[in-house]
């Protein structure tokens, strides 16, 4: 079996590049072509509609919008306002999403539109997620142009990320289909607030999903927009059963999601329902947006969370947003030595071959490696 050892020096090559794409619009007015009939809704007898895309299942009267602010009822039909008008377009290392067991060191053309179906008051992308498409500067980038841009920037992956990709579902779905035809992979970083039917349709074209947990209790989900944890768990379990690669991110927020009880229950659930080799990333919280009265998560808290998760049986547990921490590395299950060495979003060494085997001890490491 051919083994390979890669040392990738990437600090200069992988600085996040903002793509200056022709066709930037001002913050006023939406193009007609960005408005499309939604794929998932039901018409109700009184002229209102029920959106069936996410568990909120908003009932939207004529002329009104759903909770996410990007879907509206006109004439008894539901329309999305986020088809082809991303407000953020960047090339990022895949590690930034974060994905650690999915094509390490690859480039991901990353897109997002305005809007979100949660309301986290600590959101780091709030200028995007808490805006309407009329309030953001939007690029004119239909699905075929996204794929073209991915090729031009030599991105092996297109990532639907930053805000909440569920709310630009139709745009993501069509782009993902075209990307697969062109041999480009698709990944999604999501809060997991999506109904099973749209999720299952989408998974046909997804290669990896990262579920971004805000905590592990209904209290936390109520706090971030009257949500419920059970829907997020359901999404992760459907992804796992589908065979699409899954990683889990857990934002450790002091006083909100840092309790031993939440972390232990989360880790147990991952082991039992998703599998003990599912990578879990504990992310450090930084005060942002409206939640600035809390301190950044102490590194000790993150280390404790990692220890708890490993006690519960998880094999690949990472600490994120602490550049240089040893828990950024992947450790070989055979020798316990570093298999993939990272610093921040950058891969410095990679001893996993394209079939997922460690070149030193020949143990298999689950993931997508080619
Ligand atoms: S996607 Fe938007 S409109 Fe549809 S149910 Fe969710 S929040 Fe409501
Ligand atoms: Zn090994």
């Amino acid at each position: 079996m051919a083994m390979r050892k890669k040392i990738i020096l990437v600090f200069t090559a992988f600085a996040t590049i903002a793509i200056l794409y022709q066709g930037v619009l001002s913050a006023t007015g939406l193009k007609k072509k960005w408005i499309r009939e939604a794929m998932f809704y039901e018409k109700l007898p009184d002229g209102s509609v029920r959106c069936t895309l996410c568990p909120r299942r908003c009932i939207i009267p004529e002329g009104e919008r759903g909770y996410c602010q990007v879907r509206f009822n006109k004439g008894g039909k539901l329309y999305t306002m986020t088809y082809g008008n991303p407000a953020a377009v960047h090339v990022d290392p895949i590690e930034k999403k974060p994905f650690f067991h999915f094509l390490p060191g690859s480039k991901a053309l990353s897109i997002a539109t305005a809007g979100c179906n949660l309301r986290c008051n600590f959101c780091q992308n709030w200028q995007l997620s808490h805006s309407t498409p009329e309030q953001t500067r939007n690029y004119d980038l239909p699905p075929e142009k996204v794929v073209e841009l991915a090729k031009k920037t030599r991105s092996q992956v297109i990532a639907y990320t930053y805000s909440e990709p569920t709310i630009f579902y139709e745009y993501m779905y069509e782009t993902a289909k075209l990307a697969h035809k062109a041999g480009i992979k698709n990944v999604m970083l999501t809060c997991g607030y999506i109904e099973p039917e749209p999720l299952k349709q989408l998974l046909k074209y997804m290669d990896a999903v990262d579920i971004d947990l805000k905590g592990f209790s209904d209290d936390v989900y109520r706090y971030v927009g009257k949500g419920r944890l059970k829907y997020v768990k359901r999404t992760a379990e459907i992804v796992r059963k589908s065979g699409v690669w899954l990683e889990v991110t857990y934002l450790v927020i002091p006083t909100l999601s840092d309790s031993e009880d939440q972390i232990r229950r989360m880790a147990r659930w991952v082991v039992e329902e998703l599998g003990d080799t599912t990578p879990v990333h504990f992310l450090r919280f930084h005060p942002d947006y409206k939640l600035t009265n809390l301190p950044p998560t102490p590194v000790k808290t993150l280390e404790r969370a990692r220890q708890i998760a490993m006690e519960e049986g998880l094999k690949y547990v990472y600490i994120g947003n602490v550049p240089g921490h040893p828990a950024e590395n992947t450790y070989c299950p055979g020798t316990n030595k570093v298999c993939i060495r990272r610093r921040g979003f950058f891969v410095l060494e990679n001893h996993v071959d394209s079939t997922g085997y460690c070149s030193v001890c020949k143990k298999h490491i689950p993931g997508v490696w080619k």
Side-chain angles (χ1 to χ4, degrees):
M1 187 186 310
M3 294 295 168
R4 66 184 179 155
K5 180 179 179 183
K6 280 203 299 186
I7 297 182
I8 308 165
L9 296 172
V10 283
F11 283 96
T12 47
F14 262 148
T16 299
I17 309 159
I19 301 300
L20 296 172
Y21 191 80
Q22 282 182 339
V24 176
L25 283 193
S26 72
T28 54
L30 287 180
K31 290 189 177 189
K32 237 183 173 172
K33 64 179 178 179
W34 295 343
I35 295 166
R36 289 282 167 114
E37 189 174 353
M39 285 169 69
F40 298 93
Y41 75 96
E42 294 160 4
K43 295 183 180 190
L44 300 175
D46 63 354
S48 59
V49 296
R50 179 188 289 117
C51 176
T52 54
L53 176 56
C54 95
R56 291 197 182 281
R57 298 178 74 86
C58 298
I59 292 179
I60 310 171
E62 165 72 30
E64 301 287 330
R65 292 184 187 199
Y67 182 89
C68 57
Q69 294 297 307
V70 302
R71 287 169 188 267
F72 69 95
N73 175 355
K74 189 168 178 220
K77 284 185 172 181
L78 184 66
Y79 293 91
T80 162
M81 301 155 73
T82 52
Y83 190 94
N85 47 344
V89 183
H90 301 276
V91 177
D92 290 334
I94 194 83
E95 284 72 19
K96 190 174 175 184
K97 304 299 116 195
F99 283 103
F100 276 14
H101 291 222
F102 187 89
L103 303 182
S106 61
K107 288 199 276 184
L109 175 65
S110 306
I111 58 172
T113 71
C116 188
N117 53 355
L118 291 181
R119 286 288 178 279
C120 308
N121 64 1
F122 46 82
C123 182
Q124 307 211 327
N125 292 311
W126 60 272
Q127 295 96 332
L128 203 60
S129 57
H130 294 198
S131 300
T132 68
E134 297 98 319
Q135 291 169 327
T136 50
R137 286 178 66 89
N138 303 311
Y139 298 86
D140 185 11
L141 210 61
E144 58 279 10
K145 296 261 183 203
V146 179
V147 175
E148 218 174 86
L149 193 55
K151 286 185 193 161
K152 232 185 248 176
T153 55
R154 297 177 190 276
S155 303
Q156 299 95 315
V157 181
I158 297 174
Y160 310 91
T161 175
Y162 303 133
S163 56
E164 173 46 50
T166 299
I167 60 89
F168 59 89
Y169 183 95
E170 292 79 2
Y171 179 36
M172 166 170 57
Y173 182 77
E174 289 304 324
T175 307
K177 259 206 245 181
L178 291 179
H180 264 194
K181 276 191 192 149
I184 296 167
K185 292 194 164 36
N186 297 297
V187 303
M188 178 192 193
L189 177 69
T190 175
C191 66
Y193 231 61
I194 183 169
E195 286 286 73
E197 191 44 44
L199 173 63
K200 286 177 189 166
Q201 282 201 36
L202 182 68
L203 287 173
K204 291 180 199 155
Y205 303 102
M206 278 296 141
D207 299 285
V209 175
D210 191 318
I211 305 273
D212 184 15
L213 290 169
K214 317 292 180 191
F216 207 71
S217 75
D218 267 342
D219 285 350
V220 173
Y221 276 88
R222 265 193 291 275
Y223 182 68
V224 298
K226 301 194 182 83
R228 300 284 297 279
L229 172 64
K230 67 176 183 183
Y231 298 123
V232 182
K233 285 164 66 179
R234 179 181 69 188
T235 296
E237 289 164 19
I238 292 172
V239 175
R240 169 53 80 222
K241 282 193 190 106
S242 75
V244 170
W245 182 249
L246 173 69
E247 302 199 12
V248 170
T249 295
Y250 186 100
L251 183 64
V252 186
I253 308 173
T255 70
L256 203 63
S257 60
D258 63 345
S259 71
E260 171 158 351
D261 171 57
Q262 278 191 66
I263 288 165
R264 208 172 275 288
R265 281 189 295 106
M266 184 276 293
R268 253 176 228 164
W269 164 72
V270 175
V271 170
E272 282 163 17
E273 304 298 333
L274 311 179
D276 61 1
T277 56
T278 308
V280 171
H281 305 256
F282 287 109
L283 291 193
R284 187 180 204 191
F285 163 83
H286 288 286
D288 212 325
Y289 191 37
K290 293 179 185 166
L291 203 58
T292 49
N293 58 325
L294 294 178
T297 320
V299 174
K300 283 226 164 326
T301 306
L302 295 160
E303 288 169 342
R304 175 79 187 120
R306 181 171 187 261
Q307 189 193 336
I308 293 167
M310 293 179 88
E311 281 167 14
E312 291 300 327
L314 284 171
K315 303 274 193 295
Y316 301 99
V317 188
Y318 300 99
I319 290 178
N321 294 343
V322 187
H325 195 284
E328 288 182 324
N329 302 324
T330 300
Y331 292 89
C332 175
T335 62
N336 213 24
K337 290 195 175 139
V338 174
C339 243
I340 305 175
R341 190 180 303 282
R342 304 180 182 83
R343 188 174 173 89
F345 304 136
F346 304 110
V347 176
L348 306 179
E349 272 179 62
N350 182 359
H351 301 280
V352 182
D353 75 7
S354 61
T355 55
Y357 286 89
C358 166
S359 63
V360 180
C361 70
K362 319 279 188 261
K363 283 265 183 198
H364 187 256
I365 297 165
V368 175
W369 309 103
K370 68 173 176 194

